[in-house]
Amino acid sequence: MGHELSDTDMQKSGNKFVFCSSNDSHFQWIKQALNAWQVVHQDLVPLDVLAEQIAHIRPQLVLLDFSGNCRDTEENCAKEMIALAQTLKIRHPNVHQVAVGSSNYADGAVAAMRAGVHHFIDMQSDGTEAREVIRTMITGLPTLGADPCNVITLLGARAGIGTTTLAVHLADMLQLQQTPHAIRPKIALLDFGIPVADGQLYLNVSSTFDLLDAVRNRHRLDSTLVQTAIAHNNNGIRIISLPRTPESMHALVANDVLGLLSQLRAYFDVLIIDLGGFPEQDLTMRIANASDETWLLTDQSVGSLVSFDNLIKSMDKNQVARSKRHLIVTRHEDAFGMSAEQIAERFKVPLKAKLPESRQRLVSAANIGKLLHETTRTNAYLNAVSALAESVLNRNTENTKKGGLRDWLQRCLPGRGKTKERA
């Protein structure tokens, strides 16, 4: 055995684990064995409900009872544990899993291996061995804080409806805003939309350090690499774009990308992931599952709504939690097609925002290398995005200053609040 950390050191780590089992005696064993860590007991309930409850707890590790009697009865529940392990891998890929079982019941270890859970705690051993397994698992994992990173994925029904435009404006507004403690939030934009590197273009950034480079340097990722290798705009937004060549795109491995996202959470307050037009559906769904929120964008056109319907079906098929989904209707006009409220009702997705039609002003600003809030005194699109940014800040801080982002916009944007101008 290696050098054992003191109980105080382990308690300071801030780790939180969930033990999934309806066998109370097993929970008491694991609680005593892992006495220096916070272990939450989660009774077994229907699978969808259980996955949602685990997401709400936001653990670093989930301990699964593969003992063969996880319901405190003689009933074998190996199939139930396998289904839970596989569901968690899909819905919460950032959460690591450990099997808890007994050397007297070898079938449990076999079932855990089949479920893809490769770390095992034997309840027939003493607590020292269990602690060593957990210590090995959590080495290198970011410590959970009181104010965890908020990961928001923007996913367009089809290319060209303004997903990247929203991503860059949201990121820049958030980066400029100050928290109540006068500390600027740290924002990263993962520019995974198509065409490649459009986010860099809008933010006036040029970088050759792309997603593949970041994945290959995961083992070196620390605050120094974040500050030196990842490109940033003048306001400080860090941005990582897709590689520009097809060969480099094909070299990306989904698990490596998801692992990178998990590591980046430790260095930023908000990660905004632009998946507008991203071609790999499997990775798209896995990123959506790994996010805290997924904002689904569509406009009111028939073609976009058909694509949006297919997107919703794909998310259902891939078990993306409905609680993460939020609707944003872009280029919205009251007199044109289905209203935003009707679209929300039709697809059973809560309406997050309506972004009014403002293409002319957005293009004009982009043509001179600016974002809209850098050139326009007031605009309906800008108002809608500022409200979205404020909702993000409200999630990341206990209380924002009175007036929040809108007050900041009035102070900082040229002429804002003096003249009301139509979009």
Side-chain angles (χ1 to χ4, degrees), residues 215-266:
V215 164
R216 286 174 171 170
N217 286 277
R218 279 182 58 199
H219 63 288
R220 297 179 51 231
L221 187 64
D222 56 16
S223 57
T224 300
L225 187 69
V226 168
Q227 293 294 325
T228 57
I230 303 177
H232 61 87
N233 75 338
N234 290 336
N235 291 330
I237 301 169
R238 301 286 160 175
I239 182 167
I240 301 175
S241 299
L242 294 175
R244 296 177 184 271
T245 64
E247 296 79 13
S248 296
M249 283 287 292
H250 293 151
L252 291 171
V253 177
N255 286 340
D256 291 339
V257 174
L258 293 169
L260 175 67
L261 297 185
S262 181
Q263 288 179 263
L264 289 173
R265 294 184 76 116

Side-chain angles (χ1 to χ4, degrees), residues 293-418:
E293 301 178 47
T294 300
W295 295 0
L296 307 177
L297 279 68
T298 183
D299 61 24
Q300 295 162 282
S301 69
V302 172
S304 289
L305 293 177
V306 170
S307 297
F308 192 73
D309 183 54
N310 291 331
L311 175 60
I312 295 296
K313 291 175 180 175
S314 180
M315 299 188 87
D316 289 340
K317 180 180 178 182
N318 288 276
Q319 302 183 50
V320 178
R322 289 183 176 272
S323 60
K324 295 184 179 184
R325 308 179 199 178
H326 304 273
L327 171 66
I328 295 180
V329 180
T330 65
R331 300 175 181 172
H332 185 269
E333 294 187 81
D334 291 332
F336 180 63
M338 293 176 67
S339 69
E341 291 77 10
Q342 288 172 327
I343 295 172
E345 174 62 27
R346 164 65 180 81
F347 294 101
K348 307 301 180 186
V349 181
L351 180 62
K352 185 83 172 180
K354 296 182 284 188
L355 303 183
E357 171 63 65
S358 197
R359 273 178 289 185
Q360 183 176 348
R361 288 188 177 277
L362 288 165
V363 171
S364 296
N367 284 345
I368 58 173
K370 301 287 185 181
L371 298 176
L372 190 57
H373 55 268
E374 296 175 310
T375 64
T376 303
R377 292 178 298 177
T378 186
N379 177 270
Y381 180 90
L382 190 61
N383 293 340
V385 178
S386 70
L388 285 171
E390 189 167 18
S391 73
V392 175
L393 286 175
N394 286 337
R395 177 177 174 133
N396 277 57
T397 58
E398 294 180 0
N399 290 293
T400 54
K401 287 183 176 180
K402 186 178 180 181
L405 188 60
R406 291 188 181 89
D407 279 358
W408 171 82
L409 287 169
Q410 290 175 356
R411 293 194 303 272
C412 297
L413 296 187
R416 180 158 175 83
K418 295 180 181 179

Side-chain angles (χ1 to χ4, degrees), residues 140-216:
L141 294 180
T143 300
L144 294 178
D147 186 21
C149 176
N150 191 5
V151 180
I152 302 171
T153 289
L154 276 59
L155 184 53
R158 56 167 55 186
I161 62 171
T163 307
T164 300
T165 299
L166 172 58
V168 295
H169 282 83
L170 178 67
D172 202 61
M173 286 185 182
L174 285 170
Q175 184 66 32
L176 288 169
Q177 171 66 353
Q178 288 188 330
T179 69
H181 303 293
I183 300 173
R184 284 186 175 180
K186 294 171 289 186
I187 311 300
L189 174 62
L190 303 184
D191 176 32
F192 298 168
I194 302 294
V196 171
D198 262 13
Q200 287 193 34
L201 183 64
Y202 285 125
L203 292 174
N204 291 312
V205 173
S206 178
S207 174
T208 58
F209 185 85
D210 58 30
L211 176 60
L212 184 58
D213 294 318
V215 164
R216 286 174 171 170

